[in-house]
């Protein structure tokens, strides 16, 4: 009984962590493609413009490539039109509870263009800001401890 009381909660915690493990590679791929796109075009791009395909099944048939897996909904901005924004965002929203992390928790990565001294956007590696788990509880951050280190 004591062994079960210790092992079962650990097992559920590891299951939730395994389900959340798709976030790191998905956001890392988006970040690398976005930065390569900036170097080539001096602008940020939508999922389709940078050649990014989020994990899972396509949720919409639009070129924005919103998709979902059993655990997460993936979406991003800017949308398909040419971007004049100086910021691009990748977002994963949990579709169901993962351990202590509630359904609807979000993980967001943001890339901002570096401004030049004259106020023009530079054609060099953009300034990158990655925001960790953004949710109602800190329990979600424990599922993806390396998320905040993605560049």
């Amino acid at each position: 009984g004591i062994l079960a009381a210790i092992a079962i909660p650990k097992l559920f915690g590891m299951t939730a962590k395994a389900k959340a493990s798709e976030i790191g590679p998905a956001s890392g791929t988006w970040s690398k493609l976005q930065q390569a796109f900036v170097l080539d075009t001096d602008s940020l791009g939508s999922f389709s413009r940078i050649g990014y395909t989020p994990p899972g099944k396509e949720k919409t048939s639009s070129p924005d490539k919103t998709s979902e897996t059993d655990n997460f909904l993936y979406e991003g901005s800017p949308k398909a039109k040419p971007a004049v924004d100086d910021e691009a965002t990748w977002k994963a929203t949990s579709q169901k509870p993962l351990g202590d992390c509630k359904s609807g928790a979000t993980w967001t990565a943001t890339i901002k263009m570096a401004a030049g001294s004259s106020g023009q956007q530079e054609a060099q590696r953009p300034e990158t800001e990655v925001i960790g788990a953004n949710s109602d509880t800190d329990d979600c951050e424990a599922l993806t401890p390396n998320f905040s280190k993605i560049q």
Side-chain angles (χ1 to χ4, degrees):
I2 294 171
L3 184 59
I6 294 170
I8 290 174
K10 288 272 189 195
L11 175 66
F12 287 128
M14 295 304 288
T15 302
K17 198 168 188 173
K19 289 178 180 178
S21 68
E22 71 186 58
I23 289 177
S27 62
T29 300
W30 171 82
S31 176
K32 300 290 187 270
L33 288 170
Q34 192 68 257
Q35 291 178 38
F37 188 80
V38 167
L39 290 172
D40 286 345
T41 66
D42 296 338
S43 65
L44 295 165
S46 65
F47 284 1
S48 59
R49 289 190 73 215
I50 67 172
Y52 176 71
T53 303
K57 291 193 284 185
E58 195 172 290
K59 186 174 168 85
T60 60
S61 59
S62 72
D64 295 331
K65 294 187 179 180
T66 300
S67 72
E68 64 184 339
T69 62
D70 290 340
N71 301 308
F72 296 97
L73 170 68
Y74 294 95
E75 52 195 338
S77 68
K79 299 300 181 190
K81 64 183 181 191
V84 294
D85 303 345
D86 63 349
E87 185 174 296
T89 304
W90 173 96
K91 183 170 130 181
T93 305
S94 64
Q95 303 269 59
K96 54 186 165 186
L98 298 170
D100 293 334
C101 183
K102 297 177 183 172
S103 178
T106 59
W107 284 258
T108 306
T110 302
I111 292 182
K112 294 181 180 183
M113 292 290 289
S117 57
S118 63
Q120 299 292 322
Q121 293 175 342
E122 297 176 356
Q124 56 182 284
R125 184 179 172 149
E127 173 186 332
T128 303
E129 176 187 356
V130 178
I131 303 166
N134 177 13
S135 63
D136 299 332
T137 174
D138 291 335
D139 296 327
C140 297
E141 193 170 350
L143 294 177
T144 56
N146 293 325
F147 181 74
S148 62
K149 297 175 186 163
I150 293 171
Q151 296 184 358

